[in-house]
Amino acid sequence: MSKVELTPEQINNELYRYDKVHVSLKGKDELLDQHIQEYRRDGFLSIDPLLDQAVVNTAIEGLMDLAFVDRKGAKLQFSKPEKELHTLEERELAIRKVSEFVNEEERLKAVAYHPKIINVIRQIFGEEPVLIQDMALLKPPHGGGEKPWHQDMAYGNLTYTKAVIGVWIALDEATVNNGCMHVIPRSHQEGATPHYAIRDWQLCDIQVPVERDVIVPLKPGGVLFFHGMLYHGTPYNFSTDRRRALQFHYAPASSVRVGPHEYKRMFTNELSGAEC
């Protein structure tokens, strides 16, 4: 399948499933030791909602200020050259990612270090977490792009000697129609899997057990916690609704970055020569 260039519609129809829906916990008070054990078994857990609407509204204000008013040193990634964007609508439709903002925007920093989030991660790690990456992922309506199936630790800056945790926070309602998260339960148990530069830095399409795909819809303030080796991705957004989310990554305080040679062995085909 990777050898054939699929249309966005084919990608949504063939590489994702929509019939298995994960049931989230309804609040932090529902989180028990058994759910931490289920996280270790399945590779993810979600709490919907975890953050209240006031926190979400403040985060949106901070994010939109970075995107449209003053980026304050944060990095913005566009789907087309920024100089070609002449209106606010064109700009919003073209912004895919905002990153490296935690030290620039206090309203978003407050989310990254929110006690409810840090406490859940601390329960999973059994030690203190260290924030190692911050970003906002924007999927605009009418064709917001796919993020193909991948493992987050396949990105070199996230490859640590202990598993990192990704925290994905819905700012808008994330639904089956506008590009909510899709996960393959228990796929983290497969360990590191080679990635390839196809539509993105991604797993080979034919290696993803799509039949096991589970969707994780979230309301604003809902949070997905997931293992750094979990297979996950999001399809195109063909709906009329925007889908904005924050994503942070945390490593255990006792963990260190993996060296370049070990990274190549784990996540690339450079040493094996295997092809997708």
Side-chain angles (χ1 to χ4, degrees):
M1 193 173 296
S2 301
K3 301 297 184 182
V4 178
E5 186 172 339
L6 301 177
T7 67
E9 291 79 10
Q10 288 174 321
I11 287 170
N12 274 22
N13 291 334
E14 297 180 24
L15 301 183
Y16 299 89
R17 297 289 183 269
Y18 307 89
D19 54 332
K20 298 176 184 175
V21 182
H22 178 65
V23 179
S24 299
L25 301 177
K26 299 304 179 186
K28 177 67 167 61
D29 292 342
E30 290 194 5
L31 182 63
L32 304 173
D33 288 343
Q34 73 182 63
H35 300 119
I36 301 300
Q37 294 305 315
E38 289 170 3
Y39 171 93
R40 297 192 174 116
R41 180 194 69 196
D42 297 334
F44 70 102
L45 68 84
S46 57
I47 304 175
D48 189 21
L50 179 61
L51 305 178
D52 62 37
Q53 191 62 49
V55 173
V56 172
N57 291 344
T58 300
I60 290 174
E61 291 170 2
L63 178 59
M64 293 298 97
D65 280 352
L66 291 177
F68 299 113
V69 180
D70 180 1
R71 67 182 68 190
K72 298 179 181 178
K75 292 185 178 180
L76 274 63
Q77 183 184 104
F78 296 86
S79 60
K80 60 173 62 176
E82 187 174 1
K83 64 183 179 181
E84 296 178 9
L85 308 172
H86 304 297
T87 68
L88 291 178
E89 181 180 12
E90 289 176 347
R91 190 175 179 87
E92 180 171 8
L93 291 175
I95 296 177
R96 174 172 178 165
K97 182 192 297 184
V98 182
S99 60
E100 299 183 26
F101 51 69
V102 158
N103 294 324
E104 309 292 342
E105 173 48 67
E106 288 296 325
R107 290 166 289 187
L108 298 177
K109 182 177 183 178
V111 180
Y113 291 100
H114 197 286
K116 289 184 178 179
I117 290 173
I118 298 301
N119 286 341
V120 174
I121 300 171
R122 189 181 289 123
Q123 285 182 257
I124 295 171
F125 280 161
E127 61 178 292
E128 289 302 308
V130 175
L131 179 68
I132 56 174
Q133 188 182 57
D134 60 274
M135 64 178 70
L137 304 169
L138 283 66
K139 201 181 286 284
H142 310 296
E146 177 208 20
K147 180 64 177 179
W149 292 102
H150 65 285
Q151 297 171 301
D152 281 352
M153 289 175 71
Y155 292 81
N157 58 327
L158 299 178
T159 312
Y160 279 69
T161 53
K162 293 183 179 181
V164 305
I165 286 179
V167 176
W168 197 94
I169 304 164
L171 298 181
D172 303 301
E173 185 172 8
T175 71
V176 66
N177 294 317
N178 72 355
C180 71
M181 188 71 82
H182 291 237
V183 301
I184 306 293
R186 307 190 185 192
S187 55
H188 66 301
Q189 296 182 20
E190 301 296 324
T193 305
H195 283 57
Y196 302 85
I198 305 173
R199 298 183 302 282
D200 200 328
W201 188 239
Q202 64 174 91
L203 294 163
C204 187
D205 291 332
I206 60 174
Q207 293 178 335
V208 180
V210 176
E211 68 280 359
R212 290 164 47 196
D213 181 2
V214 172
I215 61 172
V216 188
L218 294 171
K219 300 180 183 67
V223 181
L224 169 67
F225 298 84
F226 61 98
H227 190 286
M229 294 288 193
L230 188 74
Y231 294 8
H232 64 288
T234 60
Y236 285 89
N237 174 16
F238 294 124
S239 79
T240 58
D241 300 319
R242 63 164 64 96
R243 194 234 63 194
R244 296 168 294 187
L246 297 177
Q247 182 166 293
F248 302 107
H249 285 97
Y250 304 82
S254 63
S255 184
V256 296
R257 287 273 296 277
V258 166
H261 183 82
E262 180 65 6
Y263 170 80
K264 290 179 181 179
R265 185 193 68 79
M266 293 170 67
F267 288 110
T268 78
N269 65 344
E270 187 169 327
L271 304 181
S272 69
E275 296 185 2
C276 177

